Amino acid sequence: MAAAAAVALVAGTIAGIAISHSGGPGRPAFGLLTPYPAAAVAAGDYAAAGPGVPATLTGIASAGKTVVAVGSQGDASLSLPVILDSQNGGRTWARAALGRSTVAPGPGAVPALIARGRGSWLTLGQGGSVWTSANGQAWQAAPGLPMVAGDKILGLTRTHSGFLAVGENIPGPPGSGVPSPVLWTSSSGRTWLRKSGAALTIGAHGS
């Protein structure tokens, strides 16, 4: 093992040194180029989500110098929401303040998708949980999306009049049904309208 470590160290040293040829014709000049710094884990750039338990981030959005990342903390069955914000373009991060939520801890309670609307931030969990914020630093839980059995949220974006979430519905046991499209619309992120089936029929002009 010691011999293998020594070989790896020598190989890494050689790989980190490059020879530069910068002289003109007939006048070669050689020098050593400084190697690039080693890669580092990016988790150290984010604020700690809690003592001894790393956060898992699943979405990120920005507006100006404000950047917000969302995710979860803890085991899957007891995962808690995590929202981190940066007010200086990602240079430093802090854990955002979260208001009280009525959604039980677990996969459906944690934010997975995030978008910045005209006057507010919005994040959604796969179980339909909703969090809104005016500045990305303080968040409040909002009533969840209207969902039926088999619904799954796949995407979130802002529109000229609010927010739009898209997804699918698979009836019956997983893998047994044919998926159909579903979408949810909201002007503020606090009340939502679900549309599926015939309500999604495209008109003659594509509207």
Side-chain angles (χ1 to χ4, degrees):
M1 292 179 64
V7 171
L9 178 61
V10 172
T13 303
I14 294 175
I17 299 176
I19 298 179
S20 172
H21 178 204
S22 59
R27 299 179 59 187
F30 297 91
L32 296 180
L33 296 178
T34 304
Y36 288 104
V41 178
D45 295 333
Y46 295 96
V53 182
T56 300
L57 302 180
T58 55
I60 191 167
S62 65
K65 291 187 177 182
T66 300
V67 188
V68 179
V70 300
S72 63
Q73 178 184 19
D75 296 334
S77 59
L78 294 174
S79 53
L80 299 174
V82 171
I83 301 180
L84 307 176
D85 75 275
S86 172
Q87 301 297 316
N88 53 15
R91 291 185 177 89
T92 59
W93 293 80
R95 186 163 182 169
L98 301 183
R100 189 177 184 86
S101 174
T102 59
V103 181
V110 299
L113 304 168
I114 183 170
R116 173 68 163 88
R118 286 188 173 184
S120 63
W121 294 81
L122 173 74
T123 182
L124 298 180
Q126 289 294 352
S129 59
V130 179
W131 297 82
T132 63
S133 174
N135 55 15
Q137 296 175 285
W139 293 75
Q140 297 295 325
L145 269 67
M147 301 181 72
V148 302
D151 278 357
K152 182 178 181 180
I153 304 170
L154 301 176
L156 172 68
T157 188
R158 62 169 289 181
T159 68
H160 72 280
S161 59
F163 296 96
L164 170 69
V166 296
E168 63 182 7
N169 179 272
I170 303 179
S176 63
V178 177
S180 59
V182 182
L183 64 81
W184 296 263
T185 57
S186 175
S187 59
S188 63
R190 301 192 64 83
T191 57
W192 292 82
L193 175 64
R194 180 185 183 276
K195 294 183 179 181
S196 63
L200 299 178
T201 301
I202 298 177
H205 299 287
S207 58

